[in-house]
Amino acid sequence: MTATHANIPEELQLLAVPVTELSPYHRNPRTGDIEAIAESLTVNGQYRPIVVNKGSQTGRLNEILAGNHTYAAARQLGWDRIAVTWVDVDDDAAARIVIVDNRTNDLAGYDSKLLAEVLSEIPDLAGTGYDRESLDRLLDDTSLPETLELTSDGAGTGAVASVDYLQWGYLQWESKRVRITSEEVEALNAIYTKFVDDTNSDLGFGWHVLQQAHEEGQPA
């Protein structure tokens, strides 16, 4: 593969070494999404160095402990250099570093609602590891409609009742979400059932609803 200029910020340039001098960890149990990492390197650059063991105590020179998949993605992109920080540890310590680097990522979590908000505010998802479909799924999980308030408690007292199980549904497109009532849900269900019965598929249902609304809105 022809070497290409690495996308390494100026602050890390002094840490850059030729990729041909490095070796992946010999027993890395982690699998990674090389394509997503390569996209991040292209869009964001290498914003942190990988960790490499000098190997004087293991006999395996310049072995990568943290950042094996970043290294693989950089090589896939044809980078000739990559930024590195160095350690010099024995086999046990090297294994611990490899495992804990992977494990801490596993143990980390997200404030899903905040994550959805941040992603929705970014004009372009390139380099985030998310695409439109994965963001939509995240919004589905985090933006359920709020509890509905009823105008009556049903007991003739005139008091307002709030029931936490009464969530009828919502319509969503892109990052927009609109709560809909039980009557609207029933109407949509009827339209959907007929559409599927007629076409034997739900493909195009959204366009069908839009066309029907447009036709009904035309002057007689």
Side-chain angles (χ1 to χ4, degrees):
M1 178 181 291
T2 302
T4 60
H5 182 67
N7 187 5
I8 302 174
E10 183 178 352
E11 293 80 4
L12 297 183
Q13 284 290 344
L14 291 177
L15 302 177
V17 301
V19 296
T20 54
E21 295 182 2
L22 307 178
S23 299
Y25 187 66
H26 69 295
R27 297 180 67 197
N28 186 20
R30 186 73 165 184
T31 59
D33 190 333
I34 303 300
E35 296 300 328
I37 298 172
E39 179 182 305
S40 175
L41 290 176
T42 300
V43 175
N44 305 313
Q46 186 189 1
Y47 50 81
R48 63 185 175 199
I50 65 175
V51 179
V52 178
N53 190 20
K54 291 181 179 179
S56 68
Q57 301 180 59
T58 65
R60 298 184 301 276
L61 301 181
N62 301 346
E63 185 178 50
I64 300 166
L65 303 184
N68 279 277
H69 297 102
T70 299
Y71 163 81
R75 296 212 65 166
Q76 178 175 292
L77 291 170
W79 285 17
D80 55 351
R81 298 170 68 78
I82 193 167
V84 168
T85 55
W86 297 90
V87 297
D88 194 7
V89 297
D90 62 18
D91 275 314
D92 288 345
R96 288 190 181 96
I97 292 171
V98 171
I99 295 300
V100 76
D101 182 64
N102 294 327
R103 181 59 174 158
T104 50
N105 286 328
D106 294 338
L107 294 174
Y110 288 103
D111 179 332
S112 296
K113 185 174 182 180
L114 181 57
L115 174 62
E117 290 177 0
V118 173
L119 288 171
S120 297
E121 293 167 1
I122 297 175
D124 185 354
L125 294 175
T128 65
Y130 284 82
D131 55 19
R132 186 76 251 173
E133 182 180 352
S134 58
L135 175 55
D136 287 344
R137 286 198 301 268
L138 182 62
L139 289 169
D140 284 342
D141 293 338
T142 59
S143 300
L144 290 172
E146 297 176 358
T147 299
L148 298 179
E149 287 191 348
L150 305 180
T151 56
S152 169
D153 62 2
T157 66
V160 173
S162 180
V163 287
D164 56 10
Y165 60 83
L166 191 56
Q167 294 180 332
W168 292 112
Y170 54 86
L171 294 176
Q172 177 188 324
W173 60 99
E174 292 184 333
S175 60
K176 301 176 182 66
R177 185 181 298 268
V178 178
R179 190 172 65 196
I180 58 179
T181 66
S182 60
E183 289 82 5
E184 290 169 324
V185 169
E186 290 175 3
L188 280 171
N189 277 337
I191 297 171
Y192 176 81
T193 299
K194 185 177 187 305
F195 179 82
V196 172
D197 288 344
D198 290 344
T199 64
N200 200 32
S201 170
D202 60 4
L203 186 64
F205 175 69
W207 183 241
H208 171 74
V209 172
L210 290 172
Q211 285 183 313
Q212 180 170 306
H214 176 72
E215 291 170 359
E216 291 178 352
Q218 293 295 312

